Amino acid sequence: MSALRELYQEMIVDHSKRPRNFGVLSDANHTKEGFNPLCGDRLTVYLQEHNHVIDKVKFEGCGCAISVASASLMTEVLQGKTQAEADAVFNDFIQLVTKGHDASLEERLGKLAVFAGVVEFPVRVKCATLPWHTFKAALQDDPQSVSTE
Ligand code: ZN
């Protein structure tokens, strides 16, 4: 395993064991639950948004290491972003995990680039993207429930 790959692996393990921004956000004005039946990942994303700026993001739930690490890193990255910036990150992230290593994508995504290796495990792509689809549905107040199937 290359040093970079090892570093990526460590970061995913760290975030899955000690997820950041984990818990209920009591003053959230957007909330959404997402489910990945393929793996059993289930999480709720809480957002506090004002004037198209995401002030706070938290999540809770349970799932595999990839889904929890993805949610944890997502909450760190999206905090303070405008809705337009968050949309751009969302699109880049989905591209990364479905296409794999891409220098310009990885540069734009910063620490989210740790998920580039997910492309080698197609069954894990849904785990990695679940928090993101749930976030997007929460922000748009989508009345449909989020399921990766
Ligand atoms: Zn999973």
Side-chain angles (χ1 to χ4, degrees), residues 20-92:
R20 321 301 198 264
N21 305 305
F22 188 86
V24 178
L25 180 62
S26 51
D27 50 359
N29 55 5
H30 300 269
T31 304
K32 195 79 207 174
E33 191 182 327
F35 180 47
N36 172 14
L38 202 65
C39 179
D41 311 314
R42 190 183 287 277
L43 55 87
T44 305
V45 173
Y46 303 92
L47 304 176
Q48 195 197 90
E49 171 263 338
H50 290 292
N51 300 322
H52 304 287
V53 176
I54 297 139
D55 293 325
K56 288 184 202 160
V57 194
K58 286 182 84 171
F59 80 103
E60 62 163 3
C62 56
C64 66
I66 295 285
S67 66
V68 173
S70 176
S72 173
L73 278 152
M74 177 186 83
T75 60
E76 283 195 340
V77 168
L78 294 181
Q79 214 99 234
K81 291 256 191 295
T82 66
Q83 208 164 323
E85 287 166 345
D87 271 345
V89 181
F90 173 91
N91 291 333
D92 281 348

Side-chain angles (χ1 to χ4, degrees), residues 1-2 6 16 22 24-25 51 54 86-87 99-100 109 130-131 148:
M1 216 190 322
S2 75
E6 223 166 284
S16 69
F22 188 86
V24 178
L25 180 62
N51 300 322
I54 297 139
D87 271 345
K99 283 179 165 177
L109 284 167
L130 174 69
T148 54

